Every structure is written in C-alpha cells, then in structure tokens.
Amino acid sequence: MKAHLFLTTALCLTMATSSASAQQKVSSSAGYPITPVSFTKVKVTDDFWGQRLQASRKVTIPLAFSKCEETGRYTNFTRSALMMELQNNPALKDDPAYAEVAQGVKIEGYSFDDTDVYKTIEGASYLLQTYPDKKLKKYIDSVLVIVASAQEPDGYLYTARTQNPANPHEWAVGNRWEKVEDLSHEFYNLGHMVEGAIAHYQATGQRNFLDIAIRYADCVCREIGDGENQQVYVPGHQIAEMALAKLYTVTGEKKYLDMAKFFLDKRGRTSRRDQYSQAHQPVVEQSEAVGHAVRAAYMYSGMADVAALTGDEDYIHAIDRIWDNIVGKKLYITGGIGATSSGEAFGNNYELPNMSAYCETCAAIGNVYMNYRLFLLHGESKYYDVLERSLYNGLISGVSLEGDGFFYPNPLESMGQHQRQAWFGCACCPSNICRFIPSLPGYVYAVKDNNVYVNLFVSNTATLEVDGKKLTLSQQTNYPWDGAIGLTIDRATGRDFALKLRIPGWVKGDVVPSDLYTYNDNKRLDYTISVNGEEVEKTVTEDGYLTINRRWKKGDRIELNFQMEARTVKAHPQVGADRGRLAIERGPIVYCAEWPDNDFDIMTLLLNRNPQFEEVRRDDLLYGITQLKTQAQVLDYDTEGRLQTKDVTLTLIPYYAWAHRGSGKMSVWLPANLSATRPGVPPTTASQSKIDASTRTSAMSSIKDGLLPNGSDDRSIPYYHTWPKQGGTEWLTYTFPKEMKVSACTIHWFDDGPWGGCRVPKAWRILYLNERGEWTPVHNITPYGRARGEANTVQFDAITTTSLKLEIDQPDKHSIGLYEWEVK
C-alpha cells in the first residue's frame, strides 16, 4: 500500500510539474536599489573556487543527500503522507503499510530536520546551473514528490507535527505555532523551504518546489497577523524574514514582504523578550549585535532586506548601527562572528577570544548574507570587504578541501582538540555549506542602471542585462594568490556604461572598515589599471569603486593588478585576547601557524620585531597554496627555571586549510611581545601521563596542557567536561611512564554557572593503583577543595604508584568540568 501511495503521488506530482513548467515564468518588478546578477547568469571557470565547487558536486551534496536517507529525513515526509491518508480513511489502520503511523510514531531528531532536505536541494540546484546533471535533477524531482506528499491541504508542511498530530515532537507540543517562538521552528522550516524553492525554480524553471513553498507561505500569511482570527507570533529562530522578502522579489506578491516586515515589527513586542533571540527591544531600536549569532545574522539580513525593499528610514538606521557595532567591535579577523559557546552568541564589545572562539560556520554564512544585502541597499564596497574576508577565511574553513569534513565552531587557536567531523546530529552547518558554496556565482556582479559592479575576483563568464541590453564579459585571474585580474568585453551593449571595479580595503590599507584591526608594518600597497594597454587614472570614489565610463566595444580588455604582500595586523588595544600579538595576512587570505609545518611548539613562539616574509608556492600541498616563511624565536624554561631562546623558521599556511593533516596545535594571533608569550616548560608528571576517562572526549588532553585558567569560566583555554551527563560518578586516570612518588594533586574546576551546564562537584577524591592492581584511596592530609576560580590542592601521604585516579561525584542536575589536573 505504501508503494502504491508513493507511485500514485509521484504520478500526480509529475503531471502537476509538467503542467506548472508550461506556465509563464514568474516575473516581478520588485527589487533592490542595486540589482543582483543571478547565479544562473555566471559560469565559474576559476581554479580556486572550481576545486571547491567540484568537491561540493562530487562529495558534499551526495553526502548530504545520503545523510537525509540514512537519518530518516525522507522517512519523516513519507510518514506524514501516510498519516494524512489514515486520517482521511480510518479503515486503513488495519493495513500493514499504515501500522507504524496508526500506532503513533515517536518523533525523534530535531524539529528542524526537514530543513536539511531543503538546504541540500538548494545547493544542488545551484550546482545544476554550473554543472548540468540530468541524473541529479531527476533525483531532486523524486525527493520533491516525497516532500509534496507531506503537505497538508491548507499548505502547512511540518513533519514534526504531521507524522503524529496527537503527540508531535517534544519541541512542538500543543497547537500549530504555539511553540514557534520557542523551539518548534515552524517558521524556520518555512524560511529554508522558500530559499531552496527559489533556487530550484531559478535553476530549472520548474515550479514543483516553488508551488509547495508558496502554499506554505500562504498558510502562514493567512494564519499569522493582526487581523481577525489571526495569531501574533514571531519566529523563534529567524530566517523566514529574509526568505519571504526574497519570495516577494521573485513573485511580486507584496503580502510576502509585508509578512517579513510583520515578523520584524512584532519582535520584542510579543511574550518572548530576551537578548538570546534579539527580542529584548523592538528591532528598530537596537544598536548592538547580541545573542545567538546565527539567529542574529539572519534577522539582520532580513532587516537589510526590508530596509532596501521598502526604504523605511528606521530600518535603514537600525541595521546601519548594528553593522557598525559588529565591524567595529565584534568581528574576528577571519570574518567570523560569535565569540562564545555559551548560547553560540556574540560576546561583549571587544570580547574576541581565540581558542574558545565559537565562530559557527552558519554565522559566517549569515555574515555574508547580511553584508551582501547591505551592499544592495547602499552600494558601497566596504560591505564586500567584510564579505570577502568571511568568504575566504572563516566560512570555507568550515568544510574540508575534500568536501567531507565539517567544523561547527571555527576557533582561531587550538591545542589539537578541534577536528572536522564527518557529520553532526544537528546538521545545520554541513547542510548550510551545501547550499552556500554552489551559490558563489551569484555574488560576483551587480547592476544599477548603466553601472556594472565587479565585486569578486573569480574567473568566469557572465551575461548581464544593462539598461535593457545584453552584456557578456569574462574574467581571468589566479586570485587570491595573485592580484592580476583581466576583464574582457565579449559582447557590448552598443551604449555607454560604467564598469565599477571594487578596490579591496586590503589594497587601500584598511583591514576592515573600522579601527578594530589595523596594519602595523607601514607598507603602502599599490595597484595599476589599464584599458587596452593604456593606463587609466586611479580615481576611487567614496563608494570604494574605481569607475570607468565609456562606450565599450567587443574585445576591450581591462587589466587590473593589485600588489600583494604579506602584512602584519594588530588588533584594537581593547581586544585583550590579541594584546601583544600580530596576525599575518596576504591579500584576502588570513594565515596561521600549524604544527605539521613547524618542528617546534608553535605556542612558545615569539615573532621578530620587524618580520620579513618569504612567499613559497606549494602546488603539491593542500590543493595548492602560497606558504609564508619568516624568522622567529621559541622560548623555553630549562630544568633550572632559566629562560632560553632558539632561532627557528616559522612557516604559515592559509587559515582555511588548517586541520587537514591530523590533530595538533594551531594559532592565528602570534606573540610579538614578551608579555604575550607562553614559554615551554620541562615535562611534568602529568604531561608525560596517558589519560583515560569514563567520558572520553577530544578535550581530555587539556587537563595536562599546563594552561591555567583566569577564573572558573575562562573560555580562552581548553577544558574537559562531561556535559550532558548529569549526576553519578565520573572518573579520569593518569598512567605514568614509570613508578612515581606523588604526594599532592591540584584541580582547577570549570564552572559556567549560573547559566551553563557545569558546576564544581559535590565531592571528589584521589585513588592510586596499589601493588595488587587495586584502586585504593589516598590518605589525605588536607581537605578536597571545591572552590570556583581557585587552585584546589589536596595533600596526602606520599605513595609510589604507576597510576592515579580522580573520582568525581557530579551535582544531581549538572555536569562537571576541569581545566587542569596537576600532580606533584
């Protein structure tokens, strides 16, 4: 019966698709002050991005679709279809095909699991434009048949409820929308559905996904609002705002833009009012980026959409204030946003820790979305300067070069505890990468009247419409390794038009459009520009573009050449984590020191006062990179406690390429002042030990790394924790390389109360392995301390052993964490 249902539905949907595809394409005069050039108009031929697109095509997208199959994402839709059939015909309850849903399935996973399907389809749709693939297109259509089968008659599509309306997902209990401001994610699902459907429609011309999304959007527009029989709710997790604004630009239906603005207007005015969800104030009154960084970036993108599409001055001023705050006080040099894992959130102004930096991949993508929309509103190159920084650094670091490993957070320093993962149960970052990288062609150009903006430097061919006439141009470059860019007019419009070439901030001497980061090496880079071999006057207007206005003809050639050199960067003095340190970048690429390239401990490094850099091209390494080499020193204490130095050659690689060659140390901000150094120390009893634990994690080694915290909630250094396990007894062991005589242990507890999940333990004790191989408690002389933010030392009668055990009684409703376990 299930097969019959599927085939019947498939046949109906195929017929509907064929019919819809024959309809006139959606068209709209709705638009931004500056017109985007669709991904469908740009064919990327670039080496750098070509490798990423091929990895996405051959690995990431197929992996994501396979995960949707393996983890039951598709099953959620088929179960929903069966449940609706059962509701319409209760007699089917005795049919074996309906037995599972008739008994009531337990809905597991996350309430937003549907979005992984939508996001993967979105990415695959972008790829269809770059790499036409009949087999992939057919697979997408088959998935859309399953998706459509789960849509309720009024357009509602949310499998976390429809599979079992009587007992929906635990985050969606109650009626429709009742938990949408909390955890149900019904509007979030809508947002990703709309984004995916528009990409699919633009890539294929088919309406089968678009019509599904429109029906759900119409359902929301009917049921949510200030009108009679409507309810007032805002999204708990934002994205519907920007998606509905995009649906307006595609369809011309103003109700979608009105709904996007309604969601924003009502934020901070409903029952939910907290910083975490940016609902602490009405959005037009906000000035600081706060709360969950991904939610925030999506909301700010929606605000920029509304500002650009309506001209609302309150929205324009509000989003400009928030952008100023991010770029001036909360942006990582990698373009990442979100300082803390506590709430995956923005920190305070200038709070930018490195090792504990959260910098979620999704947040970097959101940062690109926001800056892109602000460019479409204001037309200034500074937004693309921030976008480019995120794009080449903190965003693509989120996926391996092979396309099969993913970072959730993207820290700027590591002791080896960070590795990309094959997938995540909460798969928002992998599926977001799936949809973003293939969308790159849509960010290269833009048009306004007779102005053509060249914003990204990527080899490509493109067909644009300028003042109603077609223009075809091509770009040739080896950017980001080389600053030479060639532009060729392959088909002219026959009219005058202006080419507006972005001159990147890094060329003009601006790291970012604020004083958060500045170059400190006193270099001044230059560039040249010529048309058909003749130099052009280098006049950059206030918008950051060099504009050449003329009647272009076929074959005209523009040569733009940016001087590229390694530069040293310092942070604003209020960024405590970077004080006394420098970062190194070349062109748009931020560099880091990583363990495989250096035969010394990079954490003991001290840069020379005026470092000079050698550029080394390595086509054989990490799919082709330019390394940087410079002379430096390492600092160590000898066994007598004397500080000693050693000259070394430091090798740097692009930050995006780290963590591809095993686990080990990495750092972006490198000490240039003695106050910032961490001299190496001789091996200790703990550092030479093997660790085991009842809860094994990649962070276990942090308890013997010698890094001591500044307080009980210091996120700047690694720590071990047992979250989410609560109550009960946990243990860790040290096994020494030989018998050792010990008489004291010191524990530095991690406690992120009152909001976090870790607390100091109820009790703890030290045991040793006796000669019979039995664990025996030590005879302590001093108490077992449980103080927060202090060194808790227990002294005991000296024992000789090969192993120590730390037993910890966890609080009943909390986990435990510790920074360091010292042994003396």
Side-chain angles (χ1 to χ4, degrees):
M1 194 67 176
K2 184 184 291 188
H4 175 71
L5 169 70
F6 181 86
L7 291 173
T8 301
T9 309
L11 178 61
C12 293
L13 264 291
T14 301
M15 294 172 61
T17 299
S18 300
S19 172
S21 297
Q23 297 176 11
Q24 184 178 358
K25 287 189 177 182
V26 173
S27 62
S28 167
S29 59
Y32 296 85
I34 294 174
T35 303
V37 172
S38 170
F39 70 95
T40 62
K41 304 298 183 183
V42 182
K43 176 82 170 179
V44 170
T45 58
D46 194 73
D47 287 341
F48 183 88
W49 287 107
Q51 186 274 321
R52 289 286 184 166
L53 288 168
Q54 286 285 11
S56 187
R57 174 196 178 199
K58 295 179 179 179
V59 179
T60 312
I61 296 290
L63 173 65
F65 276 134
S66 72
K67 290 295 182 181
C68 287
E69 294 179 8
E70 292 171 14
T71 59
R73 263 55 165 181
Y74 297 156
T75 303
N76 292 339
F77 291 96
T78 56
R79 282 175 177 165
S80 297
L82 290 168
M83 175 55 74
M84 287 189 290
E85 286 279 313
L86 186 61
Q87 288 174 323
N88 291 331
N89 185 1
L92 292 172
K93 71 180 189 309
D94 297 323
D95 189 312
Y98 294 85
E100 183 184 27
V101 293
Q103 293 169 7
V105 298
K106 177 174 173 54
I107 303 176
E108 298 179 318
Y110 291 96
S111 60
F112 47 83
D113 280 350
D114 294 355
T115 66
D116 294 333
V117 177
Y118 306 148
K119 286 184 277 187
T120 307
I121 291 175
E122 181 180 352
S125 299
Y126 291 129
L127 278 177
L128 284 176
Q129 185 63 34
T130 307
Y131 305 105
D133 186 330
K134 291 181 180 179
K135 185 177 179 181
L136 176 60
K137 182 176 176 296
K138 185 177 181 180
Y139 179 84
I140 293 171
D141 283 341
S142 72
V143 173
L144 289 175
V145 169
I146 300 171
V147 171
S149 72
Q151 188 158 38
E152 297 188 21
D154 65 353
Y156 185 76
L157 209 173
Y158 179 67
T159 69
R161 180 183 308 282
T162 307
Q163 292 179 72
N164 189 347
N167 292 289
H169 191 282
E170 61 181 337
W171 289 356
V173 293
N175 299 316
R176 280 187 190 180
W177 325 123
E178 193 172 318
K179 299 294 184 182
V180 75
E181 294 189 358
D182 189 13
L183 288 170
S184 78
H185 289 79
E186 285 152 291
F187 296 157
Y188 177 77
N189 285 17
L190 167 68
H192 276 299
M193 178 193 292
V194 168
E195 293 270 340
I198 291 172
H200 180 260
Y201 167 71
Q202 291 175 333
T204 66
Q206 295 178 195
R207 294 182 56 115
N208 46 337
F209 197 7
L210 183 65
D211 287 341
I212 296 169
I214 285 174
R215 290 186 66 216
Y216 192 12
D218 288 347
C219 173
V220 171
C221 290
R222 283 194 308 272
E223 298 193 10
I224 304 298
D226 279 324
E228 188 176 352
N229 298 321
Q230 289 185 309
Q231 302 176 72
V232 177
Y233 289 113
V234 300
H237 192 310
Q238 302 92 317
I239 197 176
E241 301 87 343
M242 55 190 281
L244 288 166
K246 185 181 286 189
L247 189 58
Y248 160 67
T249 67
V250 170
T251 65
E253 291 282 348
K254 191 170 180 293
K255 64 182 178 181
Y256 302 128
L257 178 61
D258 292 341
M259 191 76 250
K261 189 171 185 295
F262 174 86
F263 281 152
L264 291 164
D265 286 345
K266 293 298 181 182
R267 197 162 204 86
R269 303 179 192 275
T270 66
S271 60
R272 179 153 196 182
R273 301 187 181 187
D274 59 310
Q275 282 197 348
Y276 173 82
S277 64
Q278 300 77 43
H280 57 299
Q281 291 176 291
V283 299
V284 294
E285 297 176 15
Q286 296 184 28
S287 300
E288 182 179 357
V290 297
H292 189 276
V294 179
R295 296 170 186 239
Y298 287 172
M299 187 184 87
Y300 303 151
S301 298
M303 289 174 66
D305 281 327
V306 168
L309 294 169
T310 67
D312 189 303
E313 290 290 331
D314 288 338
Y315 272 87
I316 293 172
H317 295 322
I319 191 58
D320 286 349
R321 290 193 306 268
I322 293 168
W323 183 85
D324 285 341
N325 175 252
I326 293 173
V327 174
K329 297 179 174 67
K330 298 192 176 186
L331 179 72
Y332 278 92
I333 195 167
T334 57
I337 53 175
T340 174
S341 61
S342 179
E344 301 177 338
F346 285 102
N348 297 321
N349 289 336
Y350 301 110
E351 181 187 352
L352 296 165
N354 292 311
M355 195 174 299
S356 62
Y358 204 67
C359 290
E360 185 179 336
T361 300
C362 288
I365 292 171
N367 196 26
V368 167
Y369 291 154
M370 174 175 57
N371 280 278
Y372 178 60
R373 285 158 171 78
L374 284 168
F375 161 76
L376 296 176
L377 169 63
H378 292 303
E380 295 179 48
S381 68
K382 64 182 182 180
Y383 301 110
Y384 257 90
D385 289 341
V386 178
L387 185 157
E388 181 182 68
R389 179 167 294 277
S390 183
L391 183 65
Y392 280 96
N393 300 291
L395 191 158
I396 58 173
S397 62
V399 59
S400 69
L401 290 159
E402 294 78 13
D404 60 355
F406 307 91
F407 273 140
Y408 203 106
N410 292 269
L412 280 75
E413 188 175 53
S414 180
M415 299 295 287
Q417 73 271 37
H418 304 95
Q419 298 94 37
R420 291 183 184 85
Q421 303 298 314
W423 204 254
F424 300 98
C426 176
C428 58
C429 291
S431 55
N432 232 356
I433 279 286
C434 280
R435 76 185 183 115
F436 180 81
I437 288 185
S439 75
L440 175 82
Y443 291 90
V444 180
Y445 301 105
V447 175
K448 181 179 182 181
D449 301 325
N450 69 335
N451 296 287
V452 175
Y453 292 84
V454 181
N455 285 317
L456 293 180
F457 307 110
V458 178
S459 294
N460 70 85
T461 58
T463 301
L464 292 64
E465 189 169 297
V466 183
D467 241 358
K469 296 288 185 178
K470 285 196 181 301
L471 166 69
T472 303
L473 54 82
S474 55
Q475 190 178 152
Q476 306 83 34
T477 183
N478 195 31
Y479 199 86
W481 311 120
D482 189 326
I485 297 106
L487 280 161
T488 304
I489 306 298
D490 299 311
R491 175 182 173 179
T493 65
R495 299 176 182 174
D496 289 2
F497 69 88
L499 268 181
K500 297 180 73 69
L501 307 170
R502 182 175 67 92
I503 307 302
W506 61 263
V507 176
K508 296 180 290 187
D510 298 323
V511 183
V512 292
S514 72
D515 65 352
L516 184 58
Y517 304 109
T518 54
Y519 294 115
N520 78 323
D521 51 19
N522 297 316
K523 292 180 181 179
R524 297 189 62 171
L525 302 187
D526 199 3
Y527 67 97
T528 60
I529 175 75
S530 66
V531 176
N532 298 330
E534 295 184 11
E535 285 199 19
V536 175
E537 184 179 354
K538 297 184 295 186
T539 302
V540 178
T541 52
E542 288 185 3
D543 61 5
Y545 289 87
L546 189 153
T547 304
I548 308 174
N549 197 338
R550 59 184 279 169
R551 180 158 296 187
W552 299 92
K553 62 183 186 298
K554 181 179 179 179
D556 281 346
R557 175 79 174 171
I558 304 96
E559 299 283 353
L560 183 59
N561 204 322
F562 301 131
Q563 181 183 357
M564 271 193 185
E565 291 186 14
R567 305 291 307 270
T568 53
V569 178
K570 65 178 181 180
H572 191 284
Q574 290 195 53
V575 182
D578 301 335
R579 204 169 291 138
R581 296 173 177 267
L582 295 176
I584 292 91
E585 59 183 44
R586 180 180 180 273
I589 301 290
V590 174
Y591 278 74
C592 69
E594 193 187 16
W595 67 275
D597 308 297
N598 300 284
D599 59 358
F600 51 85
D601 185 351
I602 62 171
M603 296 303 180
T604 66
L605 188 74
L606 177 64
L607 290 174
N608 291 347
R609 281 298 179 94
N610 297 295
Q612 303 298 310
F613 296 93
E614 175 192 2
E615 299 173 6
V616 180
R617 184 63 193 171
R618 291 288 304 276
D619 291 322
D620 61 327
L621 183 64
L622 299 167
Y623 291 87
I625 62 169
T626 296
Q627 288 182 330
L628 299 177
K629 293 180 180 288
T630 188
Q631 299 303 305
Q633 295 177 308
V634 290
L635 281 61
D636 294 281
Y637 289 109
D638 65 17
T639 55
E640 301 298 321
R642 292 186 297 261
L643 190 64
Q644 53 191 10
T645 65
K646 178 185 176 183
D647 292 335
V648 295
T649 298
L650 172 67
T651 300
L652 306 171
I653 65 166
Y655 168 76
Y656 74 76
W658 82 282
H660 280 89
R661 296 169 288 172
S663 302
K665 296 179 180 180
M666 180 279 297
S667 185
V668 170
W669 288 95
L670 306 174
N673 189 291
L674 281 170
S675 63
T677 58
R678 299 177 190 161
V681 297
T684 65
T685 301
S687 69
Q688 297 178 84
S689 303
K690 285 181 60 177
I691 307 174
D692 198 4
S694 52
T695 300
R696 296 186 177 119
T697 74
S698 61
M700 288 194 305
S701 61
S702 65
I703 68 171
K704 61 168 190 170
D705 61 14
L707 299 178
L708 302 182
N710 181 21
S712 65
D713 191 16
D714 183 355
R715 304 300 182 102
S716 67
I717 62 173
Y719 55 89
Y720 167 84
H721 63 82
T722 59
W723 174 260
K725 295 170 72 173
Q726 300 176 355
T729 299
E730 296 288 324
W731 56 262
L732 296 108
T733 60
Y734 276 157
T735 300
F736 309 135
K738 60 181 181 180
E739 276 197 340
M740 305 285 288
K741 185 176 182 179
V742 295
S743 59
C745 288
T746 300
I747 306 295
H748 299 263
W749 299 112
F750 169 78
D751 185 323
D752 57 356
W755 310 115
C758 292
R759 298 291 185 276
V760 296
K762 289 197 297 186
W764 61 285
R765 54 204 159 270
I766 298 293
L767 299 88
Y768 71 97
L769 197 65
N770 64 24
E771 62 277 6
R772 296 185 301 276
E774 301 167 336
W775 288 110
T776 306
V778 299
H779 183 261
N780 58 301
I781 302 169
T782 59
Y784 287 101
R786 298 186 301 114
R788 293 182 60 191
E790 297 179 15
N792 293 274
T793 300
V794 59
Q795 296 178 336
F796 46 84
D797 291 342
I799 49 95
T800 300
T801 185
T802 58
S803 189
L804 286 183
K805 187 176 195 179
L806 169 61
E807 281 190 349
I808 307 165
D809 295 336
Q810 297 195 125
D812 293 337
K813 296 183 179 180
H814 292 95
S815 308
I816 60 93
L818 62 153
Y819 292 102
E820 199 75 9
W821 175 13
E822 299 176 280
V823 177
K824 297 178 182 177

